[in-house]
Amino acid sequence: MTFIEPAGRQAAIPPYRTPMRAPEPWLALAASIEPQVAQCFLVSARCGCFMQAARSLNVKATWLRKQLAQLEGRLQRSLFSYQGSALALSREGRQLQARLIALAHEGAAPLNDQPLIRLAVAESILHDILGRDLIALLRRNASVRLQIITLDSDLALQAVSADLVLWLSDTPAAVPGPSFATLPAQRLARLDYVPHMAKRYSRPATRPACLDDLNDYMLVQWLADRQVDSFAPWNNLLEQRPAGVVQVQSYELMLEMIRCSACIGLLPQYMSRFDRGLVALPGIFGPPMQRDVWMAINAEAQASAQVQMFVELIRHTLDERGDWFQT
């Protein structure tokens, strides 16, 4: 007897499914790997370079290699191999990477989110004093989330919102600090300001020594300095000049004009140490014009380890350059 399927109806055919493969037994250990060690492995896998992974994690490369070697010993698997000079994951390494990522999506592994640190700093301090050491710190710690806000006036200081603030003030008697709540502000240094010019445009015997000697030179002014009360002698001179004055909005452009255009500009007295091609012209205005460097920590960020890291960087940088200014 032959059974005929009715028209328009097809016999049900069970779908073919690939049999599920159980994860290899050693991968069950992935859930018990310490989060820090798992992070070391995952970052190394992404970077393909132990040195770059160490920079990203802000650890020493030797310590990172030791952690990964201990992980391989615990799992009894080789996780990395070199293909020529390039670092690559082995078959077991790719399996572990996939398993750790799956655990992270399931919430079994914590995310390595970094808090955003907001650093507000006076533009000249950032350029002249702090910039080089700040770049070195970021090169060692590539996982930092940092926002740098430059300050060029008291108005900017009052408007800023940050975790750590480094600013310049005219007088220690009335310190205009940030508008948000901070720990007590700390005075870190006092800066003397005098006119500067490039050495290549002057000889020691003919360098300006009094106000009248400035008549033969072009003067350059950073516009942010027009609002600084302690710079009144310099600002008044420029306001009274009928010609030979250039005003710029960029601090770096002002420096470039002093270096390359035979201009004279007002700079901190330490600039001849920062740039050996510049020479200070003391005595033209009598006593040097002065400003103080202040630092304050946001009261809500005082417990942050990342903020304290930048506080230590600032203190270390100023200590190293202590002979540049008064403390």
Side-chain angles (χ1 to χ4, degrees):
M1 179 176 176
T2 303
F3 177 79
I4 301 175
E5 184 74 19
R9 182 179 174 185
Q10 297 180 351
I13 302 175
Y16 175 78
R17 290 190 178 94
T18 302
M20 295 291 291
R21 290 185 59 185
E24 297 188 26
W26 69 271
L27 279 176
L29 296 173
S32 63
I33 296 174
E34 296 82 357
Q36 185 182 36
V37 177
Q39 190 69 13
C40 288
F41 170 75
L42 290 173
V43 173
S44 299
R46 286 199 305 268
C47 293
C49 172
F50 291 130
M51 188 63 70
Q52 178 57 34
R55 283 194 288 263
S56 176
L57 294 165
N58 193 27
V59 298
K60 293 183 178 180
T62 52
W63 181 89
L64 174 66
R65 295 290 296 270
K66 180 179 179 181
Q67 296 300 312
L68 295 175
Q70 291 176 350
L71 177 61
E72 289 181 326
R74 177 180 173 185
L75 300 177
Q76 297 184 350
R77 296 292 187 281
S78 177
L79 303 176
F80 294 93
S81 64
Y82 280 98
Q83 297 178 355
S85 59
L87 181 68
L89 289 174
S90 65
R91 174 179 174 275
E92 291 80 3
R94 293 193 298 273
Q95 290 177 317
L96 179 61
Q97 182 187 40
R99 182 58 182 157
L100 289 174
I101 292 174
L103 288 173
H105 287 309
E106 295 169 6
L111 296 175
N112 190 36
D113 289 342
Q114 294 290 337
L116 175 65
I117 304 302
R118 298 164 301 166
L119 171 63
V121 56
E123 186 169 351
S124 58
I125 298 297
L126 177 64
H127 180 276
D128 302 343
I129 299 175
L130 194 58
R132 189 174 300 174
D133 287 355
L134 181 60
I135 291 171
L137 181 144
L138 297 177
R139 190 168 56 243
R140 297 191 303 268
N141 188 355
S143 64
V144 167
R145 292 180 62 210
L146 176 65
Q147 179 184 9
I148 300 175
I149 307 163
T150 56
L151 305 174
D152 59 6
S153 66
D154 289 343
L155 184 61
L157 175 62
Q158 290 296 311
V160 75
S161 177
D163 301 299
L164 181 62
V165 188
L166 195 67
W167 76 95
L168 291 166
S169 171
D170 282 347
T171 60
V175 182
S179 58
F180 53 85
T182 70
L183 300 183
Q186 306 168 50
R187 189 179 75 85
L188 303 180
R190 176 162 293 173
L191 309 183
D192 292 334
Y193 287 78
V194 296
H196 282 70
M197 68 184 307
K199 287 182 179 178
R200 61 176 174 168
Y201 292 118
S202 67
R203 296 178 180 177
T206 59
R207 284 173 188 160
C210 65
L211 285 174
D212 289 341
D213 292 343
L214 298 181
N215 293 333
D216 296 323
Y217 295 88
M218 177 174 287
L219 307 183
V220 59
Q221 180 185 44
W222 184 31
L223 281 173
D225 287 345
R226 293 179 64 183
Q227 310 302 321
V228 179
D229 292 339
S230 61
F231 295 166
W234 169 259
N235 292 333
N236 291 338
L237 172 65
L238 271 69
E239 289 177 4
Q240 295 166 8
R241 262 206 169 194
V245 174
V246 178
Q247 296 177 323
V248 297
Q249 291 185 332
S250 167
Y251 182 76
E252 291 189 12
L253 179 57
M254 177 187 65
L255 291 177
E256 195 64 18
M257 293 195 68
I258 297 172
R259 294 186 185 111
C260 304
S261 300
C263 289
I264 292 177
L266 187 68
L267 295 171
Q269 194 156 6
Y270 61 69
M271 283 303 295
S272 57
R273 294 173 178 263
F274 176 79
D275 186 335
R276 301 293 183 180
L278 300 179
V279 59
L281 305 173
I284 292 179
F285 289 95
M289 293 161 267
Q290 295 182 325
R291 303 199 82 190
D292 289 333
V293 181
W294 291 86
M295 179 175 67
I297 303 171
N298 191 317
E300 296 182 356
Q302 58 179 309
S304 168
Q306 295 277 25
V307 170
Q308 292 301 322
M309 177 177 67
F310 286 101
V311 170
E312 293 175 8
L313 169 72
I314 292 169
R315 291 190 177 281
H316 176 74
T317 300
L318 291 176
D319 287 344
E320 275 197 332
R321 294 162 176 76
D323 57 341
W324 284 20
F325 31 72
Q326 303 178 42
T327 55

